Amino acid sequence: MDYSEIDHISRTCFPNNNLKNIQYGTAGFRMRAELLNHVVYRMGILSVLRSKFLNGAGIGLMITASHNEEPDNGIKIVDPAGEMLESDWEEIATMLVKVQDTELIETIKSIIKDKNIDENSSASVIIGRDSRESSLALSKAAIKPIEILKATVKDFGIITTPQLHYLVVCINSNGVYGVPTIDGYFDKLSNAFIKSQTIENKINNKKYSYTNQLYVDAANGVGAFAAKEFKKQLNNIITINIFNDGAGKLNYKCGADYVKIHQAPPLNNPSKLNIKCASIDGDADRLVYYYVDENNKFNLLDGDKIAILIVSYLKELIEASGLSINLGLVQTAYANGASTNYVTEILNVPVAFTETGVKHLHHRAQQFDIGVYFEANGHGTVIFRDEIIKMIRNSTLNKEISNQQRESVLKLSNLIDIINQTVGDALSDMLLVETILYARDWDIVMWKECYLDFPNRQLKVKVKDRNIIKTTDAERKCISPIGLQEKIDEIVSHYPKGRSFVRASGTEDIVRVYAECQDPMDVEKLAAQVSLAVYQFAGGVGEIPIAI
Ligand code: G16
């Protein structure tokens, strides 16, 4: 490996800027774009090492800061099966971006030695970037060392994060998962969605009626390109009206994160009432639905509502198919308590909890035959075990089963193709939601009313060093700073059905506060009081949160 060239370019073009507290977070490294140069250069190196470690398997690199504001950017590494980077390599990534320029080569050599990497093995990296202005230069900086190290680079340019995951899996499965091109991605999902219209016999319940009109807020991000392509391909079946389609400022008062946190419609929202709208985020891996009703009330259908729609439909199909399949849901502490109650008590489906971050949810979901995982912020998907996919596909050919069973397995089999199993994918999830609403002949109001969320609120608190916040029990209990959890418990005890927790964000320099309780009039007060406690115990800076 040509270390002298790596060293020379590192020192002259991408020197370490010695950032304090830099670490591989919830979704890789994320910060102001101008601080990322040496980080992406070194991640280019690491992706080659990771690929060599895995005998030349394709590793993904995505340049994006997803929901963050435009001046931010980030990079994350995707493992060959589409999963997020393995956790012990996250630590290596953090160490590699921290070492001084003078120690870079020695550190690379020690990683090679510790991991027993064959330097002569081939290596391949698949790279994509979002539509931020800073993304092109950062992607070039990441590609530079990959070329110096003579690894293969497949640069797909501007794509959504889920498209990158899809491409990584297709390339590593030699096309078994799908055709490893962007056209292959659109064709796979569109064809399955088109097919769903013939096999899902829409019931006519005469009360609600499915409408194939959908307004999509694309957050002025890369998802707008993908949404436009689906609009073109699915024009005869569904009318997708896209707004915030790239002309405005990325994620500014729009996108899934804004809509979820503010519980309000995005900028440029169509003024019509009771129409079905969806918001995706800056790199199109999150989705929420919403509508504004005749009383001008904003109604949100977030990741929890999407998860429940999917779980209930899968359960129905599994039961009707007669197949023995163990179905489960994975949520995080942000899941609304009412959604968890509904799944466990009404649907009778087990729920598991993990820390925030799809990497955690994905792994836990793999323990079910069919694992649905969703964060309340709209990030999620469904994963099927390989044997279960085989079993479902084989059943579609079984002549001995009843018509009802055949119908269910055909539907299950087609759903597998609509779903991007490699990671949460806003547009694939959108097609899945539309398929289920169509099959049930549900409008968005009916979906919203299947259970009522507990009133909830999320706030952000700025502190000197967010790493002071440490949590346990899937982030539901805070163990540092001392005394904060006791204070939260005391505050919460005054609110019927109250629940609140705090955690340091892994993507933004803030502490997140979540609160829910029975009375909508109280929830703002509860969130504000807990925020004030965080401010006082954890070294708040800037504006003091006002406890009402
Ligand atoms: C990323 C992760 C999500 C996580 C979100 C917020 O999403 O992929 O799993 O929920 O960040 O994380 P945190 O609360 O730690 O800031 P995205 O869409 O921003 O890539």
Side-chain angles (χ1 to χ4, degrees), residues 184-355:
Y185 166 90
F186 284 117
D187 290 347
K188 180 174 179 188
L189 268 54
S190 294
N191 290 342
F193 184 69
I194 292 166
K195 197 166 161 199
S196 73
Q197 302 289 304
T198 53
I199 55 178
E200 299 286 350
N201 5 335
K202 178 175 167 199
I203 50 160
N204 183 358
N205 56 28
K206 296 202 173 88
K207 195 166 167 205
Y208 319 104
S209 87
Y210 173 78
T211 150
N212 66 353
Q213 294 275 333
L214 177 63
Y215 285 78
V216 177
D217 154 29
N220 290 315
V222 59
F225 300 116
K228 282 177 192 164
E229 187 57 36
F230 280 120
K231 176 183 168 75
K232 208 166 79 192
Q233 298 202 4
L234 303 174
N235 215 11
N236 294 334
I237 304 175
I238 180 166
T239 307
I240 304 175
N241 306 288
I242 306 162
F243 63 104
N244 297 326
D245 66 350
K249 213 165 141 189
L250 174 73
N251 293 333
Y252 178 69
K253 295 195 174 174
C254 61
D257 195 66
Y258 175 86
V259 168
K260 164 72 182 157
I261 293 198
H262 292 85
Q263 302 189 20
L267 273 186
N268 305 317
N269 194 50
S271 50
K272 299 177 192 164
L273 299 175
N274 282 323
I275 55 160
K276 187 169 56 177
C277 303
S279 265
I280 64 179
D281 72 337
D283 63 342
D285 59 4
R286 295 199 217 164
L287 170 76
V288 297
Y289 272 70
Y290 64 89
Y291 66 98
V292 178
D293 66 21
E294 58 282 0
N295 302 317
N296 251 324
K297 183 174 171 275
F298 174 79
N299 294 274
L300 178 68
L301 294 93
D302 62 6
D304 297 338
K305 277 265 154 70
I306 296 174
I308 276 157
L309 185 73
I310 298 171
V311 168
S312 61
Y313 192 57
L314 285 173
K315 185 177 152 102
E316 204 175 291
L317 293 182
I318 292 168
E319 280 174 1
S321 74
L323 296 174
S324 161
I325 295 176
N326 139 261
L327 170 72
L329 172 65
V330 187
Q331 297 187 309
T332 71
Y334 291 105
N336 195 282
S339 75
T340 312
N341 293 348
Y342 187 83
V343 181
T344 49
E345 288 161 21
I346 310 288
L347 297 180
N348 250 315
V349 169
V351 180
F353 282 88
T354 69
E355 290 164 41

Side-chain angles (χ1 to χ4, degrees), residues 33 62 76 101 117-118 192 197 208 217 260 398 465 502 526:
M62 184 71 196
K76 63 180 167 191
D101 299 325
I117 293 169
D118 175 2
Q197 302 289 304
Y208 319 104
D217 154 29
K260 164 72 182 157
N398 185 347
D465 176 7
V502 304
L526 171 59

